[in-house]
Amino acid sequence: MTRRYALAVLAALVSFAALLGVVNLVDPAPRRVELKPDRTMVVIAAPGLRWADVSSTSYPDLWQTLDYGAIGSLNPRGGSTGTCSADAWLSISAGRGVSAPWLCANPPSPTVSGESASLKSFPGWSSRLPQIGLLADRYRTSGKCVAAVGAGAALAAADRNGRVSHYEASPSRTFDRCPLTFVDASGGSAKTSMAQLNTAFSHVPATATVVITGLSDGPRTVAPKDARLRMLFVLGNNVQHGTLWSASVRQPGVVQLADLTATALAPLGPVPAQVQGSPLQLASNKTPSASLVNNARQSDATLRAVFDLTTPFFGAWGLAGLLLGIALCRRRDRVPAWLPPATTLWAAVPIATFLAVWAPWASWPAAAVWLTVFALLFAGAITLVAYAGRWRRSPVGPAIAVAIATWVVLALDVMHGSRLQFNALLGLQPLNGGRFYGMGNVGFALLATSALIAAGLAAGCFLNRGLERLAAATIALAGLATVTVDGWPGWGADFGGPPAVVVATAVLTLLALGIRLRPRMVVLVVLGAAFVALALAVADWLRPAASRTHLGRFVQQVIDGEGAGVVGDKLAANVRLVFDTPFSPLVPLVLVAIIVLVARREPRLDNALTRVLFGRQTLIGLLVLWSVGFAINDSGLALLLNGMGLAIALALAVAAQHLRREQDDVIRI
């Protein structure tokens, strides 16, 4: 049996590697080179401009130049969802997201003195907005200057004391006084016209690298509903036609504000560790500009639709699950043949929404309808697989198949660059302040929950045959694979996930072996989990600064004395989410209630769990996973909500299949 088990594990590894190879072959990573600006770099902002606004008729001169430069989209999010121009300019100055809502409606006007200007009249310039002025200070230290054209641009060009070395209110001379010039082409207007862009462009030196960007979600106060991707176009002697990319975002054609800071600082030497962006890179190609613009428009439409549709879609999904649960309760003595596959399909919907990213549903009319159609199609395909093999005869077989499918899709995606997570309903949500790559909290909840459920239910099958060691090995291998995928810097790059998986896996493995948890063993498990998280973070920190993820940057922040502040911000964000709505506190209360019921062995719950081999122990492992994950993640509420949602869906599928199997056995007798 041990030999067959080893061969099965080897076959699973080979199959997974083959799938990953196919994914990389179908969607290979393009060759990228770092964008090297000319001696002069000019950043021209048209606040709020999107690629959907740019066409051959609305911006004809800009449209004609697109074949000669690099095209991308800018996520302007500073410190909050919906970024005004003041926040965007200050974020470029600081090299990280800045939120100053009091400046959105009334941005400060610079006091002009000769060729320079000052923003000292703004009270608390450096104390209320830490790290602003980093860009200009670095240029001054290098013996260079930063110029600004327009009041908004002065916010990016000012140093930490609020001083702008070269300033003019509107374009009047060639932008060659400083190696870096910021230009607010809007002149304070709500929308930047082609004429205003032409005026700014007419003062650009022939040897300059020009960055034209939509910069923000609007010049004044904006709301979350205004959050979109904004246009970005780079033109210069050293810039080939192609698609923009950055190591801080790792998504083709999408960059963030801090990347502009890093690009401007790169010619001066190593980019400071405080900058949360990376220098722009370019993947040159021969794709027509119209196609690249259309791709950018589609990405914008998808992220906006994801932002708008996530809550109503999964509200409807939850309602459908409630109806299925009621149907199962009412007909538990005579379960109809369609109900087990229906519950299995329902459990497959969450991962199907990731696969639905392959279809351009967001760009079509009635996007919500098309999203539902594609989600059901992919969920149906997974359900067919769940009922295609011999495992369908087991009460837990289809649920294990759905859990494995969930894990495999998420693992393949994160190892390939998180393309699905970036655009999925349950993905990274970059417009709402989520990360751009790796494993998000929701993705981790689905990955880890599916791993423990699949391993726990499979372990029950081994235990039924008296194979305790193989049961424990199955759980340990599932935990190891999940920690590797979730925590490895080049893949999931997740700091809070691995400790939760390590603790939960250790507890579940010990339960499979029949070993009682003692205080000393609990301490060893916790220390082991902390060691795993620390080892992954240090491994990332040992890489070059430009290649580090937020794991390595956190180690550097600890070294710089900023670690306590970062941890405090994460914990504060978690607490805010718990009390974000009147219903939010109910989620952790449900977790506590389940823990109490399991600990007291509530008869009805205990009876239901004992009907599934190793069911009670698997639930205990899940409760450990969710509790630890909730405590140490900055979005623990999302982890709880989605982890418990998937577990309930799979539990309903197991219950329907189990009752149907019992009914079939009675009929056979």
Side-chain angles (χ1 to χ4, degrees), residues 179-404:
L180 177 62
T181 301
F182 292 106
V183 182
D184 185 354
S186 69
S189 58
K191 183 178 181 180
T192 307
S193 66
M194 187 69 252
Q196 289 173 310
L197 284 177
N198 283 336
T199 299
F201 207 84
S202 65
H203 295 85
V204 174
T207 57
T209 296
V210 185
V211 178
I212 304 175
T213 175
L215 184 72
S216 67
D217 294 316
R220 301 292 179 179
T221 303
V222 293
K225 64 180 180 61
D226 301 312
R228 304 294 294 250
L229 293 181
R230 303 295 163 175
M231 64 84 63
L232 182 67
F233 177 62
V234 181
L235 186 68
N237 297 318
N238 297 325
V239 180
Q240 295 179 317
H241 177 69
T243 304
L244 293 169
W245 191 89
S246 85
S248 71
V249 175
R250 302 189 185 184
Q251 300 296 338
V254 181
V255 305
Q256 61 173 328
L257 282 169
D259 295 330
L260 301 183
T261 308
T263 303
L265 290 173
L268 307 181
V271 177
Q274 301 95 313
V275 176
Q276 295 180 349
S278 302
L280 294 178
Q281 296 183 31
L282 171 65
S284 60
N285 54 58
K286 297 181 180 180
T287 306
S289 298
S291 296
L292 294 180
V293 170
N294 185 61
N295 292 340
R297 290 171 179 168
Q298 183 174 317
S299 182
D300 175 36
T302 300
L303 291 181
R304 185 65 244 182
V306 164
F307 188 93
D308 294 333
L309 294 177
T310 298
T311 299
F313 181 88
F314 281 99
W317 178 77
L319 179 60
L322 179 62
L323 295 176
L324 288 172
I326 293 173
L328 182 61
C329 288
R330 287 185 174 181
R331 306 187 67 176
R332 60 182 177 273
D333 295 328
R334 195 170 184 81
V335 178
W338 61 266
L339 193 51
T343 55
T344 303
L345 183 143
W346 181 65
V349 167
I351 195 59
T353 60
F354 287 82
L355 297 173
V357 169
W358 287 338
W361 56 267
S363 301
W364 297 343
V369 175
W370 285 111
L371 168 63
T372 304
V373 169
F374 283 109
L376 290 177
L377 285 174
F378 283 111
I382 294 172
T383 303
L384 288 176
V385 173
Y387 281 89
R390 295 175 58 187
W391 51 82
R392 70 179 181 275
R393 301 174 184 173
S394 167
V396 298
I400 292 177
V402 172
I404 291 175

Side-chain angles (χ1 to χ4, degrees), residues 46 55 139-140 170 243 247-248 327 382 406 446 583 587 594 606 649:
S55 68
Y139 264 77
R140 187 185 65 247
S170 59
T243 304
S248 71
I382 294 172
T406 300
L446 299 179
F583 302 102
V587 180
I594 297 174
D606 207 50

Side-chain angles (χ1 to χ4, degrees), residues 20 23-29 411-419 491:
L20 182 60
V23 171
N24 290 331
L25 186 64
V26 172
D27 184 24
L412 287 173
D413 177 54
V414 81
M415 295 170 77
H416 185 62
S418 304
R419 302 287 188 268
W491 296 339

